[in-house]
Amino acid sequence: MHVVLLGGAGYLGTAASHHLAALGHDVTVVDGLIYHREDDPAAVLPRTARFVHGDLRDAALLARVSADADAVVHLGGIVGEPASQLDEQLAVELNYGSPMIAAEAATAAGVGHYVFFSSCSVYGLHEGTVDEDTEPNPLGIYARTKVLAERRLPDVLGSPSALTCLRLATVHGASPRQRLDSVVNKMASHAASSGRIPLNGGSQRRPLVHVGDVARVLAGVLEQRLTGAWNVGSDPENHTIGDIAATVAEVVPSAVIDRGPERNEADARDYRVSFARIERALPGACATTLKDGVREIADLVLTGAVTDPGQAQYDNHRGLLGAVTSGKVGRLESADCRRYGAEYTSAWAAS
């Protein structure tokens, strides 16, 4: 199967590309490399993968790379609310406009399967346990772009049976292109490097999933042609932020928890997620535990594979800020981006 990974040179994409290539799939990675990173993408992608450097908002480029694809997977864009708030229009172009433009290209090329990487962040703040049928409650720019793309992609693709939306839990663990700004990776890397575990709040609930498990789920979705919306994670991996800090302290026993405010005003998300659907379809695909991921990240620091976890290259917010400031990435303001930007503004005008 020829799989095109849009945004495939990042934290998730490099793990996915290696797994798909190992299974014998023909992988093309397309990435704009918008984050400041010190590594060469060729060094973190499988040897057999084809790499195309280009802007994921470029309709002509997306048409070319989709021409002979069996599946197109959109996993690029700006990750998280802090990075999205740097420039809302840019976030909308990359997180909403780009997947819509890519879907247009995939439809025109006759691609049989389109996979969109969404997020459990779409649930925002909910009592009880949410599942795929729960009404989203997006709390910021990042989640709103994901919700709107999920709603509008079926219209562009023309056939809902060709669309899969993967709502990822908070991802952790080691990847060929590392991130250290997600909650587990941040706590574990700080614990190993400084002996301190930063904790704001503690009672907020977060579902977790290992980056390698995300790659396995993607392969299963492609091979079985699973369609619709899927929460990606596992029921036992619903934790509180306090649980995560305690697990890090257990794995790195020399570290102590550095407690901040009891309430994290910058992030009000709080939800428990059911992953029963993905477990029925792909049993055991998300079996890696929080403790496993913490060990991986701590080992990266303790063995010297990561020498300075505080570098901007490991932090999406700081990396994006550097890219924007240097002019490496900015608003494209093409006709397509303006059209989808207007849709976003109209959809959330009352929010």
Side-chain angles (χ1 to χ4, degrees):
M1 184 187 306
H2 180 200
V3 183
V4 174
L5 299 177
L6 302 177
Y11 178 56
L12 296 174
T14 50
S17 66
H18 279 274
H19 186 64
L20 292 172
L23 293 173
H25 296 295
D26 180 13
V27 177
T28 296
V29 170
V30 186
D31 204 293
L33 305 177
I34 64 175
Y35 294 103
H36 171 70
R37 301 300 300 247
E38 295 180 356
D39 44 349
D40 178 353
V44 294
L45 293 172
R47 180 182 55 81
T48 57
R50 175 188 176 216
F51 176 69
V52 179
H53 185 195
D55 195 313
L56 300 187
R57 298 163 291 182
D58 183 340
L61 170 67
L62 295 172
R64 288 197 300 273
V65 298
S66 300
D68 62 349
D70 298 300
V72 169
V73 181
H74 197 293
L75 40 66
I78 295 174
V79 179
E81 187 60 20
S84 296
Q85 288 182 358
L86 285 175
D87 183 333
E88 182 172 8
Q89 183 178 329
L90 176 62
V92 172
E93 287 190 3
L94 293 171
N95 289 10
Y96 177 57
S98 172
M100 300 301 288
I101 298 166
E104 292 177 346
T107 299
V111 175
H113 195 178
Y114 188 93
V115 180
F116 174 62
F117 270 45
S118 186
S119 168
C120 283
S121 292
V122 301
Y123 297 119
L125 181 62
H126 270 284
E127 296 293 333
T129 301
V130 300
D131 62 18
E132 289 86 352
D133 295 325
T134 301
E135 184 67 21
N137 180 31
L139 298 181
I141 299 164
Y142 175 69
R144 288 172 187 158
T145 60
K146 296 296 187 182
V147 170
L148 190 57
E150 285 194 29
R151 290 174 178 170
R152 284 280 291 117
L153 280 168
D155 299 330
V156 172
L157 291 165
S159 173
S161 65
L163 171 65
T164 306
C165 295
L166 299 180
R167 296 174 179 170
L168 306 187
T170 299
V171 186
H172 64 95
S175 163
R177 176 163 267 179
Q178 194 60 51
R179 273 185 65 196
L180 295 174
D181 55 340
S182 61
V183 60
V184 175
N185 292 358
K186 181 177 181 179
M187 285 187 181
S189 61
H190 275 254
S193 62
S194 70
R196 312 293 294 185
I197 304 168
L199 173 63
N200 289 330
S203 63
Q204 317 96 295
R205 297 163 298 167
R206 286 290 186 283
L208 304 175
V209 66
H210 189 272
V211 63
D213 291 346
V214 174
R216 283 183 281 277
V217 166
L218 175 60
V221 162
L222 293 171
E223 290 165 0
Q224 295 189 30
R225 198 177 169 83
L226 302 179
T227 58
W230 300 81
N231 294 330
V232 179
S234 67
D235 288 346
E237 290 303 299
N238 279 286
H239 296 274
T240 67
I241 300 297
D243 292 337
I244 297 170
T247 300
V248 173
E250 179 183 349
V251 173
V252 188
S254 61
V256 297
I257 297 174
D258 190 3
R259 296 186 180 275
E262 283 301 312
R263 182 177 177 183
N264 186 356
E265 299 291 346
D267 189 350
R269 291 176 299 154
D270 186 1
Y271 44 83
R272 178 182 178 86
V273 178
S274 169
F275 298 100
R277 187 180 187 208
I278 198 73
E279 177 61 23
R280 288 193 299 269
L282 299 171
C286 297
T288 311
T289 67
L290 164 61
K291 189 174 288 187
D292 294 331
V294 171
R295 287 195 187 101
E296 288 181 359
I297 299 304
D299 285 347
L300 287 177
V301 177
L302 295 173
T303 62
V306 170
T307 56
D308 180 5
Q311 289 180 352
Q313 64 172 314
Y314 300 122
D315 185 300
N316 276 355
H317 179 265
R318 292 173 57 206
L320 180 64
L321 178 60
V324 170
T325 302
S326 68
K328 186 176 181 180
V329 66
R331 302 173 182 177
L332 189 61
E333 298 184 328
S334 65
D336 288 328
C337 287
R338 289 195 300 270
R339 172 164 53 96
Y340 285 118
E343 282 190 8
Y344 172 87
T345 299
S346 176
W348 302 111
S351 299

